[in-house]
Amino acid sequence: MALARAAAASSATLKQLAAPVAKQSSRALSAKASDRPLSPHLTIYRLPLNAMTSVTFRGCGIAMTVGVGGLAMGLAATGTTMPELVDTIQQAGVGPLARFAVAFPLAFHWGNGLRHMMWENIRGHEVAEVD
């Protein structure tokens, strides 16, 4: 009987001690326990040039893939030809915007492909030369 009372009392004490700890998030606890700040968010952290070009390179590749696939499916679904589509875009007055939307991802992706080939085969792979 005394053992049961002692167990109940220690269980209640543990619950009282654990209640404030349960309210704090595990992330805040781990940061507090190690006495270091949380990781900076992308809104306050400046990405290095190499990281920005890498993200843009991948985005251009995805945009070109989606664009060419969507264009092919759209032309197949409507039965239009490519010259008819180009004429329609020119008449709508968005020709320069359409040219930029095709030329920028293609040129950027091609240029970065050359840069990667240089890194792999020639030189320029050291951190000091990248940034």
Side-chain angles (χ1 to χ4, degrees):
M1 192 71 147
L3 186 62
R5 275 190 236 141
S10 68
S11 175
T13 305
L14 284 175
K15 286 180 185 177
Q16 290 173 348
L17 290 174
V21 174
K23 291 180 183 177
Q24 295 179 355
S25 70
S26 63
R27 184 178 222 178
L29 280 175
S30 64
K32 190 175 185 179
S34 64
D35 290 328
R36 59 188 167 108
L38 295 175
S39 297
H41 195 267
L42 285 176
T43 57
I44 61 171
Y45 178 72
R46 185 173 174 264
L47 288 173
L49 179 63
N50 196 22
M52 289 189 296
T53 56
S54 177
V55 169
T56 308
F57 176 76
R58 292 167 194 260
C60 287
I62 292 169
M64 288 189 301
T65 302
V66 169
V68 169
L71 180 67
M73 289 190 304
L75 289 175
T78 60
T80 354
T81 62
M82 192 65 180
E84 291 173 352
L85 177 65
V86 170
D87 287 339
T88 305
I89 290 172
Q90 290 295 336
Q91 289 172 0
V94 291
L97 180 64
R99 277 190 221 110
F100 180 77
V102 170
F104 174 74
L106 186 62
F108 190 83
H109 201 77
W110 183 77
N112 267 317
L114 289 177
R115 181 175 63 115
H116 276 278
M117 284 194 318
M118 280 180 42
W119 279 0
E120 292 169 359
N121 298 318
I122 302 171
R123 64 173 202 87
H125 204 276
E126 288 76 28
V127 174
E129 294 174 355
V130 172
D131 291 331

